[in-house]
Amino acid sequence: KPKFRQAGPVAVPKRQWVTIKAHLVFYEVNGTIELWQDGVRVLAATGATLPLPFAIQTNVEVGVSATDRASVLYLDDVRLSSKPF
């Protein structure tokens, strides 16, 4: 599966709340992923965001999956929408 990485990694602060916003366009060729941390865009990438043209996205994973270190992540006020907030 494709991996989208930041050109210059931005750290997520420890022991403080941050606001993360994501913009996702699912498409098998030129999909879009954009992430903002506290209002600053930290990732903008295009590429395959669906494996096949007839694929259906049924879930979104949110959490700490990019590390094998023991981690705790608290989530609050999670919202999904087809329109910008």
Side-chain angles (χ1 to χ4, degrees), residues 1-7 24-35 42-50 66:
K1 79 185 177 184
K3 294 182 180 180
F4 300 95
R5 303 208 184 268
Q6 300 167 309
L24 309 168
V25 176
F26 294 110
Y27 192 64
E28 72 275 6
V29 179
N30 291 319
T32 302
I33 296 178
E34 294 178 298
L35 292 174
V42 296
L43 178 68
T46 58
T49 53
L50 283 177

Side-chain angles (χ1 to χ4, degrees), residues 20-77:
I20 303 292
K21 289 188 179 183
H23 173 224
L24 309 168
V25 176
F26 294 110
Y27 192 64
E28 72 275 6
V29 179
N30 291 319
T32 302
I33 296 178
E34 294 178 298
L35 292 174
W36 288 264
Q37 179 177 303
D38 288 332
V40 176
R41 190 166 76 173
V42 296
L43 178 68
T46 58
T49 53
L50 283 177
L52 301 166
F54 53 84
I56 297 172
Q57 185 67 36
T58 60
N59 61 0
V60 177
E61 180 180 332
V62 178
V64 182
S65 61
T67 181
D68 56 0
R69 295 181 184 177
S71 303
V72 176
L73 175 69
Y74 296 102
L75 299 174
D76 186 21
D77 218 5

